[in-house]
Amino acid sequence: MGIYRLSLLLVLFVGVLHLSTAQTRSCARTCNVFYRCSPYYTELVYAVVDGVCRVYQNGCIFGNENCTRVNQCQSPLSSTSAEKCKEFCPRRCPSGGQEVCGWFPYVSGENGENSDRYIAFANRCLLDQYSCQNDIAYAYEPTLGPCP
């Protein structure tokens, strides 16, 4: 019994020592988010996010997304080619779920006017599928519920 107690005490001591010397990871504001990215400037960036191809309007918006991820202790995204990304387009989506509204900014006409298109989708998967298959980026996170 004495050896058992000694072993148990040793294991507990090492465990407490390990916990007390473990470094806590603080990610708060380790990356400064770019500001004033133009959602109308189009230079598409492709990345696979959580197993799904995501199309970003431009490098500035992509950089902001990466900063947000780093500040939330998530791993940063890597850009990839459109062809590689499209291998991860959603093929099938559920019919139900939370309705989302995607904002698709674009420049229209010969005058180069900034325009907006809002499209409602039955769920986020359908929004990602539409974006990926049509090489069109929605700006920022979609809003929940119907479009304005």
mmCIF file of all heavy atoms in Angstrom, residues 2 7 10 15 17 22 24 27 30-31 38 41 46 52 57 76 79 83 88 91 99 104 106 116 123 129 134:
data_model
loop_
_atom_site.group_PDB
_atom_site.id
_atom_site.type_symbol
_atom_site.label_atom_id
_atom_site.label_comp_id
_atom_site.label_asym_id
_atom_site.label_seq_id
_atom_site.Cartn_x
_atom_site.Cartn_y
_atom_site.Cartn_z
ATOM 1 N N GLY A 2 1.997 1.257 0.648
ATOM 2 C CA GLY A 2 2.858 2.425 0.730
ATOM 3 C C GLY A 2 3.372 2.859 -0.633
ATOM 4 O O GLY A 2 3.435 4.049 -0.940
ATOM 5 N N SER A 7 3.207 6.431 -5.336
ATOM 6 C CA SER A 7 3.028 6.581 -6.782
ATOM 7 C C SER A 7 1.892 7.548 -7.094
ATOM 8 O O SER A 7 1.995 8.385 -7.982
ATOM 9 C CB SER A 7 2.727 5.233 -7.431
ATOM 10 O OG SER A 7 3.797 4.358 -7.266
ATOM 11 N N LEU A 10 3.013 11.066 -6.361
ATOM 12 C CA LEU A 10 3.938 11.512 -7.386
ATOM 13 C C LEU A 10 3.193 11.914 -8.662
ATOM 14 O O LEU A 10 3.472 12.958 -9.243
ATOM 15 C CB LEU A 10 4.961 10.408 -7.683
ATOM 16 C CG LEU A 10 6.062 10.773 -8.679
ATOM 17 C CD1 LEU A 10 6.875 11.955 -8.165
ATOM 18 C CD2 LEU A 10 6.955 9.593 -8.949
ATOM 19 N N GLY A 15 1.191 16.203 -12.092
ATOM 20 C CA GLY A 15 0.022 16.800 -12.768
ATOM 21 C C GLY A 15 -0.194 18.243 -12.365
ATOM 22 O O GLY A 15 -0.412 19.112 -13.215
ATOM 23 N N LEU A 17 2.066 20.263 -11.099
ATOM 24 C CA LEU A 17 3.216 21.014 -11.604
ATOM 25 C C LEU A 17 3.029 21.333 -13.084
ATOM 26 O O LEU A 17 3.254 22.463 -13.518
ATOM 27 C CB LEU A 17 4.517 20.216 -11.395
ATOM 28 C CG LEU A 17 5.807 20.905 -11.847
ATOM 29 C CD1 LEU A 17 6.037 22.159 -11.016
ATOM 30 C CD2 LEU A 17 6.973 19.953 -11.721
ATOM 31 N N ALA A 22 1.808 25.271 -17.313
ATOM 32 C CA ALA A 22 1.240 25.326 -18.667
ATOM 33 C C ALA A 22 0.969 26.770 -19.043
ATOM 34 O O ALA A 22 0.500 27.569 -18.230
ATOM 35 C CB ALA A 22 -0.044 24.510 -18.724
ATOM 36 N N THR A 24 -1.020 29.639 -20.838
ATOM 37 C CA THR A 24 -2.339 29.907 -21.379
ATOM 38 C C THR A 24 -2.176 30.715 -22.638
ATOM 39 O O THR A 24 -1.314 31.582 -22.719
ATOM 40 C CB THR A 24 -3.217 30.674 -20.356
ATOM 41 O OG1 THR A 24 -2.539 31.874 -20.020
ATOM 42 C CG2 THR A 24 -3.486 29.837 -19.130
ATOM 43 N N CYS A 27 -5.209 35.151 -27.356
ATOM 44 C CA CYS A 27 -5.239 35.548 -28.756
ATOM 45 C C CYS A 27 -5.867 36.921 -28.936
ATOM 46 O O CYS A 27 -6.008 37.381 -30.058
ATOM 47 C CB CYS A 27 -6.039 34.533 -29.558
ATOM 48 S SG CYS A 27 -5.366 32.876 -29.448
ATOM 49 N N THR A 30 -4.149 40.005 -31.225
ATOM 50 C CA THR A 30 -2.790 39.743 -31.668
ATOM 51 C C THR A 30 -2.608 40.137 -33.133
ATOM 52 O O THR A 30 -1.503 40.182 -33.630
ATOM 53 C CB THR A 30 -2.414 38.264 -31.492
ATOM 54 O OG1 THR A 30 -3.340 37.459 -32.230
ATOM 55 C CG2 THR A 30 -2.416 37.862 -30.033
ATOM 56 N N CYS A 31 -3.698 40.429 -33.802
ATOM 57 C CA CYS A 31 -3.645 40.819 -35.205
ATOM 58 C C CYS A 31 -4.521 42.054 -35.396
ATOM 59 O O CYS A 31 -5.646 42.101 -34.906
ATOM 60 C CB CYS A 31 -4.155 39.673 -36.081
ATOM 61 S SG CYS A 31 -4.144 40.031 -37.844
ATOM 62 N N SER A 38 -12.795 47.875 -49.502
ATOM 63 C CA SER A 38 -13.885 48.132 -50.434
ATOM 64 C C SER A 38 -14.512 46.810 -50.863
ATOM 65 O O SER A 38 -13.842 45.977 -51.479
ATOM 66 C CB SER A 38 -13.394 48.869 -51.676
ATOM 67 O OG SER A 38 -14.441 48.944 -52.621
ATOM 68 N N TYR A 41 -14.410 46.423 -54.840
ATOM 69 C CA TYR A 41 -13.196 46.094 -55.576
ATOM 70 C C TYR A 41 -13.128 44.577 -55.679
ATOM 71 O O TYR A 41 -13.153 43.863 -54.672
ATOM 72 C CB TYR A 41 -11.960 46.636 -54.864
ATOM 73 C CG TYR A 41 -10.677 46.157 -55.480
ATOM 74 C CD1 TYR A 41 -10.281 46.601 -56.740
ATOM 75 C CD2 TYR A 41 -9.872 45.239 -54.822
ATOM 76 C CE1 TYR A 41 -9.104 46.150 -57.317
ATOM 77 C CE2 TYR A 41 -8.699 44.790 -55.382
ATOM 78 C CZ TYR A 41 -8.328 45.241 -56.633
ATOM 79 O OH TYR A 41 -7.169 44.786 -57.203
ATOM 80 N N TYR A 46 -9.757 32.650 -53.206
ATOM 81 C CA TYR A 46 -10.412 31.394 -52.870
ATOM 82 C C TYR A 46 -9.696 30.734 -51.701
ATOM 83 O O TYR A 46 -8.467 30.719 -51.649
ATOM 84 C CB TYR A 46 -10.382 30.448 -54.068
ATOM 85 C CG TYR A 46 -11.190 30.933 -55.244
ATOM 86 C CD1 TYR A 46 -10.671 31.855 -56.147
ATOM 87 C CD2 TYR A 46 -12.483 30.471 -55.452
ATOM 88 C CE1 TYR A 46 -11.409 32.296 -57.226
ATOM 89 C CE2 TYR A 46 -13.236 30.912 -56.533
ATOM 90 C CZ TYR A 46 -12.688 31.830 -57.414
ATOM 91 O OH TYR A 46 -13.427 32.273 -58.473
ATOM 92 N N VAL A 52 -15.246 23.671 -46.870
ATOM 93 C CA VAL A 52 -16.119 24.253 -47.899
ATOM 94 C C VAL A 52 -15.371 25.372 -48.611
ATOM 95 O O VAL A 52 -14.722 26.195 -47.974
ATOM 96 C CB VAL A 52 -17.420 24.810 -47.269
ATOM 97 C CG1 VAL A 52 -18.288 25.491 -48.310
ATOM 98 C CG2 VAL A 52 -18.200 23.714 -46.569
ATOM 99 N N GLN A 57 -14.190 38.489 -51.891
ATOM 100 C CA GLN A 57 -14.232 39.546 -52.907
ATOM 101 C C GLN A 57 -12.836 40.060 -53.273
ATOM 102 O O GLN A 57 -12.559 40.350 -54.417
ATOM 103 C CB GLN A 57 -15.123 40.693 -52.414
ATOM 104 C CG GLN A 57 -15.392 41.762 -53.429
ATOM 105 C CD GLN A 57 -16.437 41.364 -54.454
ATOM 106 O OE1 GLN A 57 -16.666 40.204 -54.738
ATOM 107 N NE2 GLN A 57 -17.081 42.346 -55.041
ATOM 108 N N PRO A 76 -5.136 30.347 -39.213
ATOM 109 C CA PRO A 76 -5.363 31.219 -40.365
ATOM 110 C C PRO A 76 -5.676 30.404 -41.616
ATOM 111 O O PRO A 76 -5.323 29.230 -41.711
ATOM 112 C CB PRO A 76 -4.056 31.981 -40.513
ATOM 113 C CG PRO A 76 -3.039 31.163 -39.809
ATOM 114 C CD PRO A 76 -3.752 30.384 -38.750
ATOM 115 N N SER A 79 -4.937 30.836 -49.025
ATOM 116 C CA SER A 79 -5.620 30.950 -50.310
ATOM 117 C C SER A 79 -5.206 29.791 -51.202
ATOM 118 O O SER A 79 -4.143 29.201 -51.026
ATOM 119 C CB SER A 79 -5.317 32.293 -50.964
ATOM 120 O OG SER A 79 -3.944 32.400 -51.235
ATOM 121 N N GLU A 83 -9.656 26.386 -59.090
ATOM 122 C CA GLU A 83 -9.872 24.986 -59.466
ATOM 123 C C GLU A 83 -9.814 24.068 -58.248
ATOM 124 O O GLU A 83 -10.656 23.193 -58.075
ATOM 125 C CB GLU A 83 -8.832 24.541 -60.505
ATOM 126 C CG GLU A 83 -8.934 25.246 -61.835
ATOM 127 C CD GLU A 83 -8.348 26.665 -61.820
ATOM 128 O OE1 GLU A 83 -7.460 26.957 -60.988
ATOM 129 O OE2 GLU A 83 -8.810 27.485 -62.635
ATOM 130 N N PHE A 88 -14.220 21.617 -53.408
ATOM 131 C CA PHE A 88 -14.882 21.647 -52.105
ATOM 132 C C PHE A 88 -16.200 22.431 -52.140
ATOM 133 O O PHE A 88 -16.700 22.848 -51.096
ATOM 134 C CB PHE A 88 -13.935 22.234 -51.051
ATOM 135 C CG PHE A 88 -12.715 21.391 -50.830
ATOM 136 C CD1 PHE A 88 -11.559 21.608 -51.572
ATOM 137 C CD2 PHE A 88 -12.730 20.365 -49.908
ATOM 138 C CE1 PHE A 88 -10.427 20.829 -51.389
ATOM 139 C CE2 PHE A 88 -11.606 19.575 -49.710
ATOM 140 C CZ PHE A 88 -10.454 19.807 -50.457
ATOM 141 N N ARG A 91 -21.952 19.972 -52.709
ATOM 142 C CA ARG A 91 -22.658 19.249 -53.764
ATOM 143 C C ARG A 91 -24.143 19.139 -53.444
ATOM 144 O O ARG A 91 -24.985 19.326 -54.297
ATOM 145 C CB ARG A 91 -22.078 17.848 -53.951
ATOM 146 C CG ARG A 91 -20.592 17.840 -54.245
ATOM 147 C CD ARG A 91 -20.304 18.079 -55.722
ATOM 148 N NE ARG A 91 -18.880 17.955 -55.996
ATOM 149 C CZ ARG A 91 -18.086 18.975 -56.226
ATOM 150 N NH1 ARG A 91 -18.547 20.189 -56.199
ATOM 151 N NH2 ARG A 91 -16.804 18.791 -56.469
ATOM 152 N N GLU A 99 -32.676 30.477 -42.521
ATOM 153 C CA GLU A 99 -32.584 31.320 -43.710
ATOM 154 C C GLU A 99 -31.492 32.359 -43.517
ATOM 155 O O GLU A 99 -31.316 32.894 -42.430
ATOM 156 C CB GLU A 99 -33.919 32.018 -43.964
ATOM 157 C CG GLU A 99 -33.918 32.902 -45.193
ATOM 158 C CD GLU A 99 -35.240 33.626 -45.418
ATOM 159 O OE1 GLU A 99 -36.056 33.708 -44.480
ATOM 160 O OE2 GLU A 99 -35.435 34.116 -46.526
ATOM 161 N N PHE A 104 -24.189 40.709 -52.127
ATOM 162 C CA PHE A 104 -23.286 40.573 -53.252
ATOM 163 C C PHE A 104 -23.041 41.948 -53.863
ATOM 164 O O PHE A 104 -23.793 42.401 -54.713
ATOM 165 C CB PHE A 104 -23.878 39.626 -54.309
ATOM 166 C CG PHE A 104 -24.083 38.225 -53.804
ATOM 167 C CD1 PHE A 104 -25.269 37.867 -53.183
ATOM 168 C CD2 PHE A 104 -23.088 37.279 -53.942
ATOM 169 C CE1 PHE A 104 -25.457 36.577 -52.716
ATOM 170 C CE2 PHE A 104 -23.268 35.982 -53.482
ATOM 171 C CZ PHE A 104 -24.462 35.628 -52.861
ATOM 172 N N TYR A 106 -21.266 44.715 -56.265
ATOM 173 C CA TYR A 106 -20.630 44.661 -57.583
ATOM 174 C C TYR A 106 -20.615 46.052 -58.195
ATOM 175 O O TYR A 106 -21.294 46.958 -57.727
ATOM 176 C CB TYR A 106 -21.350 43.666 -58.504
ATOM 177 C CG TYR A 106 -22.770 44.043 -58.844
ATOM 178 C CD1 TYR A 106 -23.070 44.649 -60.068
ATOM 179 C CD2 TYR A 106 -23.806 43.804 -57.954
ATOM 180 C CE1 TYR A 106 -24.374 45.000 -60.389
ATOM 181 C CE2 TYR A 106 -25.111 44.153 -58.267
ATOM 182 C CZ TYR A 106 -25.390 44.740 -59.482
ATOM 183 O OH TYR A 106 -26.677 45.105 -59.791
ATOM 184 N N ASP A 116 -25.607 46.909 -55.314
ATOM 185 C CA ASP A 116 -25.774 45.854 -54.316
ATOM 186 C C ASP A 116 -26.891 44.911 -54.754
ATOM 187 O O ASP A 116 -27.909 45.351 -55.289
ATOM 188 C CB ASP A 116 -26.142 46.446 -52.953
ATOM 189 C CG ASP A 116 -25.106 47.436 -52.465
ATOM 190 O OD1 ASP A 116 -23.951 47.028 -52.328
ATOM 191 O OD2 ASP A 116 -25.463 48.606 -52.233
ATOM 192 N N ASN A 123 -30.578 28.308 -46.466
ATOM 193 C CA ASN A 123 -29.571 28.023 -45.443
ATOM 194 C C ASN A 123 -28.190 28.421 -45.954
ATOM 195 O O ASN A 123 -28.016 28.762 -47.125
ATOM 196 C CB ASN A 123 -29.594 26.548 -45.021
ATOM 197 C CG ASN A 123 -29.420 25.601 -46.187
ATOM 198 O OD1 ASN A 123 -28.475 25.716 -46.958
ATOM 199 N ND2 ASN A 123 -30.344 24.650 -46.318
ATOM 200 N N GLN A 129 -22.871 27.215 -51.825
ATOM 201 C CA GLN A 129 -22.956 26.497 -53.094
ATOM 202 C C GLN A 129 -23.116 27.475 -54.265
ATOM 203 O O GLN A 129 -22.419 27.382 -55.267
ATOM 204 C CB GLN A 129 -24.131 25.521 -53.048
ATOM 205 C CG GLN A 129 -24.270 24.641 -54.264
ATOM 206 C CD GLN A 129 -25.481 23.744 -54.146
ATOM 207 O OE1 GLN A 129 -26.605 24.227 -54.001
ATOM 208 N NE2 GLN A 129 -25.253 22.434 -54.186
ATOM 209 N N ASN A 134 -20.764 29.840 -58.977
ATOM 210 C CA ASN A 134 -20.882 30.992 -59.873
ATOM 211 C C ASN A 134 -19.708 31.964 -59.790
ATOM 212 O O ASN A 134 -19.754 33.031 -60.407
ATOM 213 C CB ASN A 134 -22.196 31.726 -59.589
ATOM 214 C CG ASN A 134 -23.386 30.873 -59.941
ATOM 215 O OD1 ASN A 134 -23.648 30.614 -61.106
ATOM 216 N ND2 ASN A 134 -24.101 30.400 -58.929
#
